[in-house]
């Protein structure tokens, strides 16, 4: 696949998010769900407080992940890094990134919190505006081949401009390595979109289905998943 990643629709303000019409789908373990899906629970591997040694998603999300994996060329598989994320883990990530920003020289201000919330959602228990991962409808992932994970241009959770899904679409005179990263991002993006997901434009690895972010992008009148 070598087609461009399109310009995404503008993110809606939190106050304009669709309502939630919870369909009560269960959370499903992806461990050994299908050979086309590898589970690498990255936050558990990092020892983050509250992280699980598995990746859980809503059952329809699991089905669609398998659809996406089956669209990959032979020899490639999806690697799921994170799915359902309890509030304890969300809080730990929030605190970690906030500390990183402070260490980089940011001061506590509106601008700092805007940057923080761009990459890590507030760990709120508000049932009307749950963090994406708390719903079981958000998933972070990459692609692996026979020689390991494909090059995507940044590591997972690299909170810089390079992490934007379309970063390489906006540049001219790409190096050979950047061209490979662009092709790999396009592959991940298009198999996930074809399976019914939407992408968070600031993170090439993050995709949504059934939650408020997905409903806002697709024009659905309400989200299927609230917080779990």
């Amino acid at each position: 696949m070598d087609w461009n990643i399109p310009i995404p629709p503008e993110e809606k303000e939190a106050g304009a998010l669709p309502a939630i019409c919870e369909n009560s789908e269960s959370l499903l373990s992806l461990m050994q769900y299908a050979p086309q899906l590898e589970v690498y629970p990255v936050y558990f591997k990092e020892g983050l407080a509250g992280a699980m040694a598995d990746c859980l998603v809503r059952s329809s999300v699991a089905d669609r992940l398998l659809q996406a994996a089956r669209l990959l060329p032979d020899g490639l598989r999806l690697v799921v890094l994170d799915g359902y994320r309890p509030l304890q883990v969300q809080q730990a990530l929030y605190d970690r990134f906030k500390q990183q920003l402070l260490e980089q020289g940011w001061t506590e201000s509106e601008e700092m919190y805007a940057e923080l919330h761009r990459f890590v959602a507030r760990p709120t228990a508000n049932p009307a505006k749950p963090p994406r991962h708390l719903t079981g409808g958000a998933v972070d992932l990459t692609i692996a081949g026979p020689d390991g994970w494909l090059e995507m241009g940044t590591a997972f959770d690299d909170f810089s401009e390079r992490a934007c899904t379309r970063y390489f679409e906006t540049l001219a005179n790409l190096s050979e390595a950047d061209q490979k990263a662009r092709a790999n991002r396009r592959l991940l993006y298009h198999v996930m979109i074809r399976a019914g997901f939407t992408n968070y434009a600031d993170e090439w690895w993050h995709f949504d289905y059934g939650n408020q972010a997905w409903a806002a992008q697709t024009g659905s009148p309400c989200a299927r998943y609230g917080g779990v």
Side-chain angles (χ1 to χ4, degrees), residues 8 11 114-115 117-119 132 154 158-167 185 199-206:
E11 289 282 325
E115 182 71 5
H117 298 151
R118 178 181 169 194
F119 292 106
R132 300 183 190 205
T154 75
D158 178 303
F159 297 143
S160 70
E161 291 301 322
R162 290 179 64 89
C164 296
T165 308
R166 296 192 72 255
Y167 178 78
R185 286 192 189 190
N199 171 246
Y200 178 48
D202 285 334
E203 298 175 351
W204 59 260
W205 57 81
H206 180 110

Side-chain angles (χ1 to χ4, degrees), residues 26-208:
S26 59
L27 288 171
L28 184 70
S29 168
L30 291 178
M31 198 71 72
Q32 300 181 336
Y33 180 74
Q36 298 94 332
L37 299 176
E38 177 183 337
V39 174
Y40 186 91
V42 65
Y43 297 127
F44 177 80
K45 302 279 189 184
E46 293 177 359
L48 204 67
M52 297 174 288
D54 196 357
C55 290
L56 309 178
V57 294
R58 299 280 191 142
S59 56
S60 290
V61 175
D63 291 343
R64 289 175 182 275
L65 282 171
L66 185 54
Q67 290 178 35
R70 286 172 172 162
L71 294 172
L72 292 171
D74 290 345
L76 299 182
R77 63 192 181 281
L78 293 178
V79 182
V80 180
L81 305 171
D82 192 33
Y84 167 69
R85 186 184 299 165
L87 279 177
Q88 182 184 4
V89 179
Q90 190 70 32
Q91 184 70 59
L93 288 170
Y94 189 88
D95 293 342
R96 184 171 76 177
F97 187 44
K98 179 180 177 181
Q99 185 59 36
Q100 289 172 0
L101 290 175
L102 292 172
E103 290 172 357
Q104 291 169 16
W106 291 75
T107 57
E108 290 212 33
S109 61
E110 237 177 78
E111 291 76 16
M112 189 207 76
Y113 281 102
E115 182 71 5
L116 174 58
H117 298 151
R118 178 181 169 194
F119 292 106
V120 183
R122 295 179 183 88
T124 175
N126 182 349
K129 301 174 185 177
R132 300 183 190 205
H133 281 276
L134 185 66
T135 69
V139 62
D140 297 331
L141 73 172
T142 188
I143 300 173
D147 300 320
W149 296 6
L150 301 191
E151 178 56 56
M152 293 291 182
T154 75
F156 170 64
D157 270 0
D158 178 303
F159 297 143
S160 70
E161 291 301 322
R162 290 179 64 89
C164 296
T165 308
R166 296 192 72 255
Y167 178 78
F168 296 112
E169 306 290 340
T170 64
L171 301 180
N173 303 317
L174 294 179
S175 67
E176 183 176 342
D178 287 347
Q179 290 179 42
K180 287 182 179 178
R182 180 179 65 183
N184 292 335
R185 286 192 189 190
R186 288 175 174 178
L187 176 60
L188 178 62
Y189 176 88
H190 284 291
V191 299
M192 293 295 287
I193 297 302
R194 285 181 62 187
F197 292 88
T198 58
N199 171 246
Y200 178 48
D202 285 334
E203 298 175 351
W204 59 260
W205 57 81
H206 180 110
F207 293 84
D208 296 290

